[in-house]
Amino acid sequence: MSFWKSKPGARWAAGEAELHPACVQAFEDALRDGGFGPGVYPAWNAYVNRDVLAIYGDEGWLGFDDVARLYAERASRQREQYPQAYWRKAGNLFHYAVQLGLIAGERGGEHGRGWRLVHREPQWVVDSQGGRSIARQVLGLPPAEQAAEYRRQARQAKLTATLDRKARHAADAEIAALVSAILAGDPDATVPEHWAASNQYRLPCVPEWLPGTRIDVCAPVLREAHHTLDVPRQTVREWLRELRHAARIAPTRYARRQAEKAALPEHADIPAEDAEALGGLL
């Protein structure tokens, strides 16, 4: 559902011309007064920062109509049943974004009412402490606190790099054995596309130019790919799971391809007229 007013008896749908007054009021009330926030979710400030940056994308300023359109699209994708509730959440998000100094409201001027993005770099991030997620401010701190935060980040980056490097080395022997097992089960195996793909859950496990290459040709590259790409330890774990799966199904894949080849005729019969034409060319 959306921020737009529909025809009588119809569902509210994005793209209609008139803003629905109930949704406007729900947005304005939450924008003014706020609602659920850091008192309910300890990582709330980080969630607000994340969502605001996602909404703005490459834009630096959004007008009221832009906000309506973006939230209408999001509500439609999520099959929101109650537009007023959805728009109360939208107003609540902008309320806290203004409070945190992430955006600034502007009225009048060339573009009318809207909100300017103040910080494109995240000011708040989610931090896990004691088994729960909290929000930690990483930018916009007083000078002494900011310097301490930079030192903390440097220490954390160094520790992360060390743990990732150890995880990569610890996986070397198993990765080499699994590549050999894949080839033993399927000598004709090639690198699948998804090994080089990235998504929200993991980084690529092999270079982007490798898919489609025979594994017997690129086995040395596969054995070293996790080092070449400096993959983090969580991706190393996923890479091992992927290789174990590939080794497990390799014999079945090879047997299926061999059966398909055996089912093909050894040669195709040439129609008489084509054979006669071919004979004339010889």
Side-chain angles (χ1 to χ4, degrees):
M1 295 304 164
S2 82
F3 198 41
W4 306 98
K5 185 177 180 181
S6 71
K7 299 172 184 177
R11 294 169 63 88
W12 292 348
E16 297 179 356
E18 186 180 355
L19 295 175
H20 196 286
C23 288
V24 174
Q25 192 61 51
F27 179 84
E28 296 290 0
D29 290 346
L31 179 66
R32 182 187 65 247
D33 301 328
F36 59 88
V40 177
Y41 302 104
W44 177 254
N45 291 354
Y47 298 152
V48 169
N49 205 163
R50 176 200 62 195
D51 290 351
V52 163
L53 291 176
I55 290 167
Y56 274 78
D58 295 329
E59 301 295 330
W61 187 91
L62 292 178
F64 188 76
D65 290 345
D66 297 320
V67 177
R69 174 179 54 81
L70 289 167
Y71 268 93
E73 292 171 356
R74 177 178 288 193
S76 177
R77 288 195 302 272
Q78 297 184 5
R79 301 181 181 276
E80 175 61 47
Q81 296 295 319
Y82 304 103
Q84 288 173 249
Y86 196 88
W87 278 95
R88 191 175 301 113
K89 294 177 183 178
N92 189 43
L93 174 67
F94 272 59
H95 168 85
Y96 281 102
V98 171
Q99 294 296 312
L100 293 171
L102 304 175
I103 62 175
E106 295 181 348
R107 287 183 177 274
E110 179 182 355
H111 301 291
R113 181 192 183 193
W115 294 267
R116 172 175 51 84
L117 182 65
V118 177
H119 299 291
R120 191 164 293 281
E121 292 297 319
Q123 308 292 295
W124 296 82
V125 298
V126 177
D127 189 15
S128 297
Q129 291 187 3
R132 67 171 190 156
S133 295
I134 64 170
R136 190 182 79 252
Q137 189 172 4
V138 294
L139 287 176
L141 295 163
E145 294 180 31
Q146 189 68 70
E149 173 60 24
Y150 284 145
R151 290 194 295 271
R152 192 206 64 80
Q153 290 179 25
R155 289 193 301 271
Q156 183 60 48
K158 185 176 180 179
L159 175 61
T160 298
T162 299
L163 294 175
D164 288 346
R165 184 173 61 254
K166 288 182 175 180
R168 289 193 293 269
H169 284 297
D172 284 347
E174 186 176 1
I175 288 174
L178 288 169
V179 171
S180 297
I182 293 169
L183 287 174
D186 184 359
D188 300 329
T190 60
V191 176
E193 290 286 342
H194 68 272
W195 286 4
S198 62
N199 55 43
Q200 60 179 323
Y201 303 109
R202 77 171 191 189
L203 299 173
C205 297
V206 302
E208 61 180 9
W209 49 267
L210 205 58
T213 307
R214 286 177 60 101
I215 291 179
D216 57 356
V217 173
C218 67
V221 177
L222 284 181
R223 287 193 288 266
E224 293 295 320
H226 57 304
H227 292 295
T228 304
L229 298 179
D230 290 331
V231 298
R233 55 192 180 279
Q234 60 268 27
T235 301
V236 170
R237 290 192 292 269
E238 292 169 0
W239 180 219
L240 286 170
R241 283 196 292 269
E242 181 62 41
L243 288 174
R244 290 173 194 139
H245 174 70
R248 195 161 48 244
I249 67 173
T252 302
R253 291 171 62 90
Y254 182 70
R256 183 169 64 246
R257 284 203 310 275
Q258 292 302 104
E260 290 171 353
K261 288 180 182 178
L264 294 175
E266 294 185 4
H267 60 83
D269 294 330
I270 303 176
E273 60 273 17
D274 292 343
E276 183 178 347
L278 181 60
L281 295 174
L282 299 178

